[in-house]
Amino acid sequence: MRFRSPRAARALALTAGSLAIALTLAACGSNEEPDDAPEAQETVDGSALEARSPLTGELVEGSAPTNPVFVVKIDNTASAAPQLGLSAADLVAEQLVEGGDSRLAAFFYSELPERVGPVRSSRTTDIGIVKPLDGVLVASGGAPATVNRLRSEQVTTVVEGAPGFSRDSGRRAPYNLMMDLTALAKETGAGSTPAAYLPWGTDEEFPGARPATTVEAQFSGRRTTTWSFAKGGYTPTNGHAADGDVFRPDTLVVLRVPVGDAGYTDPAGNPVPESRFVGKGEAFVFHGGEVVRGRWTKKGFAGSVQLRTQGGELTLPPGKVWLGLVPADGGDVRFTG
């Protein structure tokens, strides 16, 4: 189910160090206000269905957000500590970057914090992460090869110099760039209505197969993200978030993805990897202290993720999700009951 689309939108133009914001008017005119409430679709017998969030699958109370989905790139090393704003994210994706480290792509839609970061640069992996939502990628900048790829794939990106960016004098560069999403939203205006990012279902439909209360997602020999299940959710045991600002998902989705070469190196000479979030591969879904193994498919960068087990389609219980894009070669997934 989708929210009713707003009738006005703004397009963001990527620049090297600043943001040019241009108002794009819909054919029906620019003076109409966005609808206040999510659209209730009807069943064949005429009864109403309630709207659900495209990022969590949860029922939406009151008005649907009028802002775009913002996907903020956040550093995920010890140098980034403490990370800010993660507890407000609807969904967080983790990806491999050069040197064996990982980086986060945090999705903000239902709640826009005033302080998110530290914000770091984009990667070509972000294309497959952002395009299904027609979202706005928020990054410090990007290598020319990455910027060209993002532009060619029509991924809307804002970089340092745009409204909302600031430097924290109490941190050292480059780990001191922060973002105020409320300020950015005032400039971007209404976004297009996103479709469901993941296949949502109900708790009752989740076919828990075996216990799994501790989870390890290995991205490289340098980075393994670990989780512990308790009190209905998952807590990271080696994260870098500030106390009281931790992202605690209801579900962990780990996908084994192909990793190639992005075609350039970082300043230290490390090859930059590209996790291609498209195609198919092995999938692990952790919920309620249990795990189900299956397969994932995604047709094209803009396609939505589909999950299947030997028993058929697999849907996710509503709630916040951590999405781990673990390399099919060189990565690993381990868990214990």
Side-chain angles (χ1 to χ4, degrees), residues 1-3 38-52 59-60:
M1 181 178 297
R2 301 185 181 186
F3 298 131
E39 180 179 22
Q41 297 183 351
E42 294 185 349
T43 63
V44 291
D45 63 0
S47 60
L49 293 174
E50 295 175 287
R52 293 184 179 272
L59 291 175
V60 176

Side-chain angles (χ1 to χ4, degrees), residues 33 55 61 68 71 94 110 131 142 165 206 217 259-260 269-270 293:
E33 295 294 329
L55 287 174
E61 297 180 1
V71 183
E94 187 169 353
S110 60
K131 274 188 73 72
F165 277 111
F206 183 74
V259 177
N270 297 307
R293 299 179 66 163

Side-chain angles (χ1 to χ4, degrees), residues 123-137:
R123 295 292 183 274
T124 53
T125 299
D126 299 328
I127 296 169
I129 292 175
V130 178
K131 274 188 73 72
L133 294 165
D134 193 24
V136 175
L137 179 63

Side-chain angles (χ1 to χ4, degrees), residues 75-83 101 117-118 120 171-176 222 240:
D75 192 277
N76 196 40
T77 65
S79 299
Q83 297 162 326
D101 291 324
R120 296 300 305 277
R171 297 173 181 244
R172 65 183 178 90
Y175 309 102
N176 62 349
R222 183 180 175 91
H240 306 291

Side-chain angles (χ1 to χ4, degrees), residues 56-70:
T56 67
E58 296 173 317
L59 291 175
V60 176
E61 297 180 1
S63 302
T66 57
N67 51 269
V69 175
F70 295 112

Side-chain angles (χ1 to χ4, degrees), residues 51 61 70 73 83 100 121 140 150 170 186 218 223 276 292 308-309:
E61 297 180 1
F70 295 112
K73 295 302 299 295
Q83 297 162 326
S121 55
S140 60
L150 290 169
K186 291 176 182 178
Q218 182 179 336
R223 177 61 188 177
R276 291 185 59 82
V292 174
R308 295 190 66 85
T309 66

